[in-house]
Amino acid sequence: MADKKIMVSVRNLKKSFGKLEVIKDLSVDIEEGEVVVLLGPSGSGKSTFLRCLNQLETVTDGTIEIDGVCVTDKHVDINKVRENIGMVFQHFNLFKNKNVLQNITLAPVELKIMSKTDALAKAEELLARVGLSDKADAYPAQLSGGQKQRVAIARALAMNPDIMLFDEPTSALDPEMVGEVLTVMKELAADGMTMVVVTHEIGFAREVADRILFMDGGYLVEEGTPDEILNHPKEARTIDFLNKVL
Amino acid sequence: MLSILKSYGIMLILAMGKTIELCLLSLVFAMVIGLIFALCNVARKRTLNVIGTVYVDAVRGVPLIVLAYFIYFGVPAGVQAAGFMNFRLSALQAGVIALSMNCGAYMAEIIRAGIESVDRGQMEAARSLGMTYGMGMRHIVLPQALKTMIPSIINQFIITLKDTSILSIIGFPELTNVGKTIMGNTFKSLETWAIVGVMYLIVIVSLSKASKRIERRLNVGR
């Protein structure tokens, strides 16, 4: 296969909160259309890494390029870059004062990316795609966790992003609702979306990931295909972690 | 009692009107002042935080009566000394400025607490979609903060309404000041102050009843 376009390029990323060094030295490239799953014990810096990608956290050192734009450069208009990076949060973060349709259409309309009519049409289409057409007028408080997370995915997709970031999207869900969210994510991966996913769902990683990054203590310890990482891990820390979760 | 009501009833009602006028004007400005300094206080800019803190501390640290004297007598004296001999402040202007500044400081704290009560994830979600900080505040955070702030804001309204009485000392013809005049004319202090007290009471109790109803209606939508 010909060289694919590099969507995310991280070089020597370091991130500290005060004296606490969360990411110590991390470099990685992610290609267009690739599904990358980040595994690792809690506190290993996975979520922080994800939040650095769209600059919800400012980096302490190092550079991050998204689609050729250096987002760690202070002169870059980060709002413009974020329009192309969808993010799905562990606790959904749906806008509580807006109904489902308003949640999805607010950003595209407010940022003048779509007319109100186009945004509504797009929202209806996305809701159909995540199986929630009947919830268009509901408020977040009236939805189950799984429904909230599917709306959150639709909201992110409404901006037509090139990359989707998932920060433990199923960790706050009741077990019976995990499946419905993972199904939507699998469809998205099958459509060729570039995805970076922090999750504890080993099954999802095995089935959907093109590559798994195993992080521990702020370092990228090991990376490879799901088969390499899950079935033939080389590093002691990876083996130790997998023994605990599998 | 009846004779006072007969001769001074209209005057008392007009004075109540003045009291409410002063209170409402001050509240409008106080909301604006409060919002500006609350936004300073929650901003991630050190200089803005300092501006917000200094304002709130300074105004809360001075009694309203001193603030009123300062603005009504002190400021015009200073401006005139600087060469603008025609500068005057009416009792209403000075009263509104003093009350707005005072109420604005408390309002800033109420609004700050309201903003901080909104989950940080709400702003993060807005920013992650490419919306600016201002858009996130306007569309997401402030509307949610307002709901939790309503009881405290109405409480502050009531305090401000009562504080208007302090401005009788700069000669503004609000209810308490008119009460003083009537007492001077009739020497019936018991009756006069009982009537004035009951007038405040009626307005304030109806205000808090109305606020309870608003609160209940807002909670239905949750």
Side-chain angles (χ1 to χ4, degrees):
Chain A
M1 215 190 320
D3 281 344
K4 279 202 168 181
K5 189 170 131 196
I6 302 289
M7 282 300 270
V8 180
S9 178
V10 180
R11 288 290 168 274
N12 304 106
L13 174 65
K14 292 187 180 71
K15 171 66 184 174
S16 306
F17 293 104
K19 285 212 163 98
L20 183 70
E21 245 191 329
V22 180
I23 298 176
K24 282 167 185 153
D25 186 6
L26 201 154
S27 298
V28 69
D29 285 333
I30 296 168
E31 290 175 350
E32 186 174 24
E34 200 177 11
V35 177
V36 172
V37 168
L38 288 158
L39 288 183
S42 54
S44 58
K46 311 179 297 283
S47 287
T48 305
F49 170 69
L50 206 64
R51 292 164 58 86
C52 284
L53 291 183
N54 67 351
Q55 291 290 290
L56 282 184
E57 304 290 352
T58 52
V59 305
T60 309
D61 199 12
T63 59
I64 299 172
E65 276 185 29
I66 306 277
D67 208 359
V69 180
C70 183
V71 298
T72 42
D73 180 349
K74 293 258 183 304
H75 304 291
V76 162
D77 179 4
I78 190 61
N79 294 322
K80 263 283 164 277
V81 181
R82 283 179 180 147
E83 290 178 6
N84 284 321
I85 311 175
M87 187 164 202
V88 175
F89 299 86
Q90 180 178 0
H91 296 289
F92 328 121
N93 296 352
L94 289 185
F95 304 136
K96 289 180 189 158
N97 57 327
K98 306 274 178 200
N99 70 21
V100 167
L101 271 185
Q102 291 165 336
N103 260 278
I104 300 174
T105 57
L106 179 68
V109 173
E110 198 60 30
L111 295 167
K112 304 194 167 56
I113 288 170
M114 290 175 208
S115 69
K116 188 134 202 194
T117 334
D118 290 347
L120 280 171
K122 174 96 185 166
E124 304 273 5
E125 174 205 318
L126 286 166
L127 281 178
R129 188 160 153 196
V130 299
L132 288 171
S133 295
D134 54 330
K135 297 290 183 191
D137 298 321
Y139 277 82
Q142 299 163 314
L143 302 175
S144 74
Q147 291 169 335
K148 278 184 205 171
Q149 199 59 301
R150 285 186 281 155
V151 172
I153 293 172
R155 176 177 69 178
L157 290 175
M159 296 293 292
N160 288 320
D162 296 321
I163 309 170
M164 287 283 285
L165 310 177
F166 293 86
D167 189 4
E168 301 200 28
T170 57
S171 298
L173 297 178
D174 289 335
E176 75 267 26
M177 290 168 186
V178 171
E180 63 192 67
V181 171
L182 291 183
T183 307
V184 172
M185 289 171 63
K186 280 176 201 166
E187 287 167 8
L188 205 53
D191 285 350
M193 177 65 77
T194 311
M195 294 165 65
V196 187
V197 186
V198 173
T199 187
H200 296 293
E201 295 292 329
I202 303 287
F204 175 83
R206 190 187 298 278
E207 193 182 335
V208 183
D210 296 310
R211 185 155 49 121
I212 295 177
L213 309 182
F214 178 78
M215 283 182 71
D216 190 22
Y219 292 104
L220 178 56
V221 175
E222 193 172 356
E223 63 175 304
T225 63
D227 180 55
E228 284 166 354
I229 298 293
L230 299 174
N231 301 335
H232 312 287
K234 293 188 197 75
E235 298 289 331
R237 277 183 287 179
T238 317
I239 296 166
D240 186 45
F241 174 78
L242 289 173
N243 279 338
K244 281 179 191 148
V245 297
L246 282 180
Chain B
M1 180 92 84
L2 269 178
S3 70
I4 290 181
L5 283 177
K6 216 174 257 168
S7 356
Y8 297 102
I10 306 268
M11 204 172 155
L12 282 166
I13 289 181
L14 286 177
M16 187 83 233
K18 285 276 179 202
T19 290
I20 292 173
E21 180 191 356
L22 179 61
C23 175
L24 287 181
L25 270 176
S26 307
L27 284 171
V28 171
F29 290 118
M31 287 294 281
V32 177
I33 294 172
L35 183 61
I36 291 170
F37 286 102
L39 288 174
C40 282
N41 269 328
V42 297
R44 284 210 192 157
K45 278 235 163 62
R46 194 84 189 99
T47 43
L48 289 179
N49 295 162
V50 171
I51 292 171
T53 315
V54 166
Y55 178 80
V56 170
D57 285 353
V59 173
R60 286 204 302 191
V62 175
L64 177 56
I65 200 164
V66 174
L67 188 64
Y69 278 139
F70 180 79
I71 288 168
Y72 188 57
F73 298 114
V75 171
V79 176
Q80 283 161 13
F84 301 94
M85 289 311 292
N86 293 325
F87 186 81
R88 298 270 189 291
L89 278 178
S90 72
L92 176 66
Q93 288 165 341
V96 169
I97 294 172
L99 264 188
S100 311
M101 283 180 70
N102 183 67
C103 180
Y106 292 96
M107 210 59 100
E109 285 297 277
I110 292 170
I111 297 174
R112 180 191 57 76
I115 290 172
E116 282 171 0
S117 76
V118 176
D119 179 21
R120 282 185 48 182
Q122 296 286 308
M123 178 60 94
E124 285 185 351
R127 298 307 306 271
S128 80
L129 290 161
M131 287 197 275
T132 62
Y133 180 83
M135 288 176 189
M137 269 291 162
R138 200 165 72 242
H139 294 289
I140 307 302
V141 176
L142 285 177
Q144 290 183 44
L146 187 64
K147 266 193 180 182
T148 57
M149 283 166 1
I150 294 257
S152 314
I153 288 179
I154 289 170
N155 191 36
Q156 192 57 44
F157 280 18
I158 291 170
I159 292 171
T160 303
L161 185 67
K162 293 206 268 189
D163 279 351
T164 55
S165 64
I166 290 176
L167 298 177
S168 60
I169 53 115
I170 59 171
F172 184 73
E174 45 67 63
L175 189 54
T176 304
N177 204 6
V178 168
K180 275 196 227 167
T181 309
I182 295 170
M183 188 182 68
N185 291 347
T186 63
F187 299 108
K188 291 180 174 164
S189 40
L190 177 67
E191 289 92 331
T192 307
W193 293 117
I195 291 170
V196 169
V198 167
M199 286 179 76
Y200 276 114
L201 195 66
I202 290 171
V203 172
I204 286 167
V205 169
S206 4
L207 197 61
S208 39
K209 290 274 179 249
S211 85
K212 276 272 175 306
R213 199 166 300 163
I214 296 171
E215 252 176 78
R216 230 174 289 142
R217 194 169 300 168
L218 280 175
N219 280 330
V220 172
R222 288 221 166 172

Coordinates of all heavy atoms in Angstrom, one line a residue, chain A residues 43-99:
Chain A
G43 N -3.7 6.5 35.5 CA -2.6 7.4 35.9 C -1.4 7.2 34.9 O -0.4 7.8 35.2
S44 N -1.6 6.5 33.8 CA -0.4 6.3 32.9 C -0.3 7.4 31.9 O 0.6 7.5 31.2 CB -0.6 4.9 32.2 OG -1.8 4.9 31.5
G45 N -1.3 8.3 31.9 CA -1.2 9.5 31.0 C -2.0 9.4 29.7 O -1.9 10.2 28.9
K46 N -2.8 8.3 29.6 CA -3.6 8.1 28.4 C -4.6 9.3 28.1 O -4.6 9.9 27.0 CB -4.4 6.8 28.4 CG -3.7 5.6 28.9 CD -4.7 4.4 28.9 CE -5.8 4.5 29.9 NZ -5.5 4.3 31.3
S47 N -5.4 9.6 29.1 CA -6.4 10.7 28.9 C -5.7 12.0 28.7 O -6.1 12.8 27.9 CB -7.3 10.7 30.1 OG -8.2 9.6 30.1
T48 N -4.6 12.2 29.4 CA -3.9 13.5 29.3 C -3.4 13.6 27.9 O -3.4 14.7 27.3 CB -2.8 13.6 30.3 OG1 -3.3 13.4 31.6 CG2 -2.1 14.9 30.3
F49 N -2.8 12.5 27.4 CA -2.3 12.5 26.0 C -3.4 12.9 25.0 O -3.2 13.8 24.2 CB -1.8 11.1 25.7 CG -1.4 10.9 24.2 CD1 -0.4 11.6 23.6 CD2 -2.2 10.1 23.4 CE1 -0.1 11.4 22.3 CE2 -1.9 10.0 22.0 CZ -0.9 10.6 21.5
L50 N -4.6 12.3 25.2 CA -5.7 12.6 24.3 C -6.1 14.1 24.4 O -6.3 14.7 23.4 CB -6.9 11.7 24.7 CG -7.9 11.4 23.7 CD1 -7.3 10.5 22.6 CD2 -9.1 10.6 24.3
R51 N -6.1 14.6 25.6 CA -6.5 16.0 25.8 C -5.5 17.0 25.3 O -5.8 18.1 25.0 CB -6.9 16.2 27.3 CG -8.1 15.5 27.8 CD -8.2 15.4 29.3 NE -8.2 16.7 29.9 CZ -9.3 17.5 30.0 NH1 -10.5 17.0 29.7 NH2 -9.2 18.6 30.6
C52 N -4.2 16.5 25.2 CA -3.2 17.4 24.6 C -3.4 17.5 23.1 O -3.1 18.5 22.5 CB -1.8 16.8 24.9 SG -1.2 17.1 26.5
L53 N -4.0 16.4 22.5 CA -4.1 16.4 21.0 C -5.0 17.6 20.6 O -4.7 18.2 19.5 CB -4.7 15.1 20.5 CG -3.8 13.9 20.7 CD1 -4.4 12.7 20.1 CD2 -2.4 14.1 20.0
N54 N -6.1 17.9 21.3 CA -6.9 19.0 20.9 C -6.7 20.2 21.8 O -7.5 21.1 21.9 CB -8.4 18.6 20.8 CG -9.0 18.3 22.2 OD1 -8.3 18.2 23.2 ND2 -10.3 18.2 22.2
Q55 N -5.6 20.2 22.6 CA -5.2 21.3 23.4 C -6.2 21.7 24.5 O -6.2 22.9 24.9 CB -4.9 22.5 22.5 CG -3.7 22.3 21.6 CD -2.4 22.3 22.4 OE1 -2.0 23.4 22.9 NE2 -1.8 21.2 22.6
L56 N -7.0 20.7 25.0 CA -7.7 21.0 26.2 C -6.7 21.1 27.3 O -7.0 21.7 28.4 CB -8.7 19.9 26.5 CG -10.0 19.9 25.7 CD1 -11.0 18.8 26.1 CD2 -10.7 21.3 25.8
E57 N -5.5 20.5 27.2 CA -4.4 20.7 28.0 C -3.3 21.3 27.2 O -3.0 20.8 26.1 CB -3.9 19.3 28.6 CG -4.9 18.5 29.4 CD -5.4 19.2 30.7 OE1 -4.7 20.2 31.1 OE2 -6.3 18.7 31.3
T58 N -2.6 22.3 27.7 CA -1.5 22.8 27.0 C -0.3 21.9 27.4 O -0.1 21.4 28.5 CB -1.1 24.3 27.5 OG1 -1.1 24.3 28.9 CG2 -2.2 25.2 27.0
V59 N 0.6 21.7 26.4 CA 1.7 20.8 26.6 C 2.9 21.6 27.3 O 3.0 22.8 27.3 CB 2.3 20.2 25.3 CG1 1.2 19.5 24.6 CG2 2.9 21.3 24.5
T60 N 3.7 20.8 28.1 CA 4.8 21.4 28.8 C 6.0 21.6 27.8 O 6.7 22.5 27.8 CB 5.2 20.6 30.0 OG1 4.0 20.3 30.8 CG2 6.2 21.3 30.8
D61 N 6.1 20.5 26.9 CA 7.2 20.5 26.0 C 6.9 19.6 24.8 O 6.1 18.7 25.0 CB 8.5 20.1 26.7 CG 9.8 20.5 25.9 OD1 9.6 21.3 24.9 OD2 10.9 20.0 26.2
G62 N 7.6 19.8 23.7 CA 7.3 18.9 22.6 C 6.4 19.6 21.6 O 5.8 20.7 21.8
T63 N 6.1 18.9 20.5 CA 5.2 19.4 19.4 C 4.2 18.4 19.0 O 4.4 17.2 19.1 CB 6.0 19.8 18.2 OG1 6.7 18.6 17.7 CG2 7.0 20.9 18.4
I64 N 3.0 18.9 18.6 CA 1.9 18.1 18.1 C 1.5 18.7 16.8 O 1.2 19.9 16.8 CB 0.8 18.0 19.1 CG1 1.2 17.4 20.4 CG2 -0.4 17.2 18.5 CD1 0.1 17.4 21.5
E65 N 1.5 17.9 15.7 CA 0.9 18.4 14.5 C -0.3 17.6 14.1 O -0.3 16.3 14.2 CB 1.9 18.2 13.3 CG 2.9 19.3 13.2 CD 3.8 19.2 12.0 OE1 3.4 18.6 11.0 OE2 5.0 19.7 12.0
I66 N -1.4 18.3 13.8 CA -2.6 17.6 13.4 C -2.9 18.0 12.0 O -3.1 19.2 11.7 CB -3.8 18.1 14.3 CG1 -3.5 17.9 15.8 CG2 -5.1 17.4 13.8 CD1 -3.8 16.5 16.3
D67 N -2.9 17.1 11.1 CA -3.2 17.3 9.7 C -2.3 18.5 9.2 O -2.7 19.4 8.4 CB -4.7 17.8 9.5 CG -5.2 17.4 8.1 OD1 -4.4 16.9 7.3 OD2 -6.4 17.7 7.9
G68 N -1.1 18.4 9.6 CA -0.1 19.4 9.1 C 0.0 20.7 9.8 O 0.8 21.5 9.5
V69 N -0.9 20.9 10.8 CA -0.9 22.2 11.5 C -0.3 21.9 12.9 O -0.8 21.0 13.6 CB -2.4 22.7 11.7 CG1 -2.4 24.0 12.5 CG2 -3.0 22.9 10.3
C70 N 0.6 22.7 13.3 CA 1.3 22.6 14.6 C 0.4 23.2 15.7 O 0.4 24.4 15.8 CB 2.7 23.2 14.5 SG 3.6 23.0 16.0
V71 N -0.3 22.4 16.4 CA -1.3 22.9 17.4 C -0.6 23.4 18.6 O -1.2 24.1 19.4 CB -2.4 21.9 17.8 CG1 -3.2 21.5 16.6 CG2 -1.8 20.7 18.4
T72 N 0.7 23.0 18.8 CA 1.4 23.5 20.0 C 2.0 24.9 19.8 O 2.5 25.5 20.7 CB 2.5 22.5 20.4 OG1 3.2 22.0 19.2 CG2 1.9 21.3 21.1
D73 N 1.9 25.3 18.6 CA 2.4 26.7 18.3 C 1.3 27.7 18.8 O 0.1 27.6 18.5 CB 2.5 26.8 16.7 CG 3.0 28.2 16.3 OD1 3.0 29.1 17.2 OD2 3.3 28.4 15.1
K74 N 1.8 28.7 19.6 CA 0.8 29.6 20.3 C 0.1 30.5 19.2 O -1.0 31.0 19.6 CB 1.6 30.5 21.2 CG 2.2 29.8 22.4 CD 1.4 30.0 23.7 CE 2.0 29.4 24.9 NZ 2.2 27.9 24.8
H75 N 0.6 30.6 18.0 CA 0.0 31.5 17.1 C -1.1 30.9 16.2 O -1.8 31.5 15.5 CB 1.1 32.1 16.2 CG 2.2 32.8 16.9 ND1 2.0 34.0 17.6 CD2 3.5 32.5 17.1 CE1 3.1 34.4 18.2 NE2 4.0 33.5 17.9
V76 N -1.2 29.6 16.4 CA -2.2 28.9 15.6 C -3.6 29.1 16.2 O -3.8 29.1 17.5 CB -1.9 27.3 15.6 CG1 -3.1 26.5 15.2 CG2 -0.8 27.1 14.7
D77 N -4.6 29.3 15.4 CA -6.0 29.5 15.9 C -6.5 28.1 16.3 O -7.0 27.4 15.4 CB -6.8 30.2 14.8 CG -8.3 30.4 15.3 OD1 -8.6 30.1 16.5 OD2 -9.1 30.8 14.5
I78 N -6.5 27.8 17.6 CA -6.8 26.5 18.0 C -8.3 26.2 17.8 O -8.7 25.0 17.5 CB -6.4 26.3 19.5 CG1 -6.5 24.8 19.9 CG2 -7.2 27.2 20.4 CD1 -5.6 23.9 19.1
N79 N -9.1 27.2 17.8 CA -10.6 26.9 17.6 C -10.8 26.4 16.2 O -11.6 25.5 16.0 CB -11.4 28.2 17.8 CG -11.3 28.7 19.2 OD1 -11.4 27.9 20.1 ND2 -11.2 30.0 19.4
K80 N -10.1 26.9 15.2 CA -10.2 26.4 13.8 C -9.8 24.9 13.8 O -10.4 24.1 13.1 CB -9.3 27.2 12.9 CG -10.0 28.3 12.1 CD -10.8 27.9 11.0 CE -11.8 28.6 10.3 NZ -13.1 28.7 10.9
V81 N -8.7 24.6 14.4 CA -8.2 23.2 14.4 C -9.2 22.3 15.1 O -9.4 21.2 14.6 CB -6.8 23.1 15.1 CG1 -6.3 21.7 15.1 CG2 -5.8 24.1 14.5
R82 N -9.7 22.7 16.2 CA -10.7 21.9 17.0 C -11.9 21.6 16.2 O -12.6 20.6 16.4 CB -11.1 22.6 18.3 CG -10.0 22.5 19.3 CD -10.5 23.2 20.6 NE -9.5 23.2 21.6 CZ -9.3 24.2 22.5 NH1 -10.1 25.3 22.4 NH2 -8.4 24.1 23.5
E83 N -12.3 22.4 15.2 CA -13.4 22.1 14.4 C -13.3 20.8 13.6 O -14.2 20.1 13.3 CB -13.7 23.2 13.3 CG -14.1 24.5 14.0 CD -14.3 25.7 13.0 OE1 -14.2 25.4 11.8 OE2 -14.6 26.8 13.4
N84 N -12.0 20.4 13.4 CA -11.7 19.1 12.7 C -11.4 18.0 13.6 O -11.1 16.9 13.2 CB -10.5 19.3 11.8 CG -11.0 20.1 10.5 OD1 -12.1 19.9 10.0 ND2 -10.1 21.0 10.1
I85 N -11.5 18.2 14.9 CA -11.2 17.1 15.9 C -12.4 16.9 16.8 O -12.7 17.8 17.6 CB -10.0 17.5 16.8 CG1 -8.8 18.0 15.9 CG2 -9.6 16.3 17.6 CD1 -7.6 18.5 16.7
G86 N -13.1 15.8 16.6 CA -14.3 15.6 17.4 C -13.8 14.9 18.7 O -12.8 14.2 18.7
M87 N -14.5 15.2 19.8 CA -14.1 14.6 21.1 C -15.3 14.0 21.8 O -16.3 14.7 21.9 CB -13.3 15.5 22.0 CG -12.7 14.8 23.2 SD -11.5 15.8 24.1 CE -10.6 14.5 24.9
V88 N -15.2 12.8 22.3 CA -16.2 12.2 23.1 C -15.7 11.9 24.5 O -14.6 11.4 24.6 CB -16.7 10.9 22.4 CG1 -17.7 10.1 23.3 CG2 -17.3 11.2 21.1
F89 N -16.4 12.4 25.5 CA -15.9 12.4 26.9 C -16.5 11.2 27.7 O -17.6 10.7 27.4 CB -16.3 13.7 27.6 CG -15.7 14.9 27.0 CD1 -16.4 15.5 25.9 CD2 -14.6 15.5 27.4 CE1 -15.9 16.7 25.3 CE2 -14.0 16.6 26.8 CZ -14.7 17.2 25.8
Q90 N -15.8 10.9 28.8 CA -16.3 9.8 29.6 C -17.6 10.1 30.2 O -18.5 9.3 30.3 CB -15.2 9.6 30.8 CG -15.6 8.5 31.7 CD -14.6 8.3 32.8 OE1 -13.6 8.9 32.8 NE2 -14.8 7.4 33.7
H91 N -17.8 11.4 30.6 CA -19.1 11.8 31.3 C -20.0 12.5 30.3 O -20.7 13.4 30.7 CB -18.8 12.6 32.5 CG -18.1 11.7 33.6 ND1 -18.7 10.7 34.3 CD2 -16.8 11.7 34.0 CE1 -17.8 10.2 35.1 NE2 -16.7 10.8 34.9
F92 N -19.9 12.2 29.0 CA -20.7 12.7 28.0 C -20.7 14.2 27.7 O -20.5 14.6 26.6 CB -22.2 12.3 28.2 CG -22.4 11.0 29.0 CD1 -23.1 11.0 30.2 CD2 -21.9 9.8 28.5 CE1 -23.2 9.8 30.9 CE2 -22.0 8.6 29.1 CZ -22.7 8.6 30.4
N93 N -20.8 15.0 28.8 CA -20.8 16.4 28.7 C -21.7 17.0 27.7 O -21.4 18.0 27.0 CB -19.4 16.9 28.4 CG -18.4 16.6 29.5 OD1 -18.8 16.2 30.6 ND2 -17.1 16.8 29.3
L94 N -22.9 16.4 27.6 CA -23.9 17.0 26.7 C -24.3 18.3 27.4 O -24.4 18.5 28.6 CB -25.2 16.1 26.6 CG -25.0 14.8 25.8 CD1 -26.3 14.1 25.7 CD2 -24.5 15.2 24.4
F95 N -24.7 19.3 26.6 CA -25.1 20.6 27.1 C -26.5 20.4 27.8 O -27.5 20.2 27.1 CB -25.2 21.7 26.0 CG -23.9 21.8 25.2 CD1 -23.9 21.9 23.8 CD2 -22.7 21.9 25.9 CE1 -22.8 22.1 23.1 CE2 -21.5 22.0 25.2 CZ -21.5 22.1 23.8
K96 N -26.5 20.6 29.1 CA -27.7 20.3 29.9 C -28.9 21.2 29.6 O -30.0 20.8 29.8 CB -27.4 20.3 31.4 CG -26.5 19.2 31.8 CD -26.2 19.3 33.3 CE -25.1 18.3 33.7 NZ -24.4 18.6 34.9
N97 N -28.6 22.4 29.2 CA -29.6 23.4 28.9 C -30.2 23.3 27.5 O -30.9 24.2 27.1 CB -29.2 24.8 29.3 CG -27.9 25.2 28.5 OD1 -27.1 24.4 28.2 ND2 -27.8 26.5 28.2
K98 N -29.7 22.4 26.7 CA -30.1 22.3 25.3 C -30.7 20.9 25.1 O -30.2 19.9 25.7 CB -28.9 22.5 24.4 CG -28.1 23.7 24.6 CD -28.7 24.9 23.9 CE -27.9 26.2 24.1 NZ -28.7 27.3 23.8
N99 N -31.7 20.8 24.2 CA -32.2 19.5 23.8 C -31.2 18.8 22.8 O -30.2 19.4 22.4 CB -33.6 19.5 23.4 CG -33.8 20.2 22.0 OD1 -32.8 20.3 21.2 ND2 -35.0 20.7 21.7

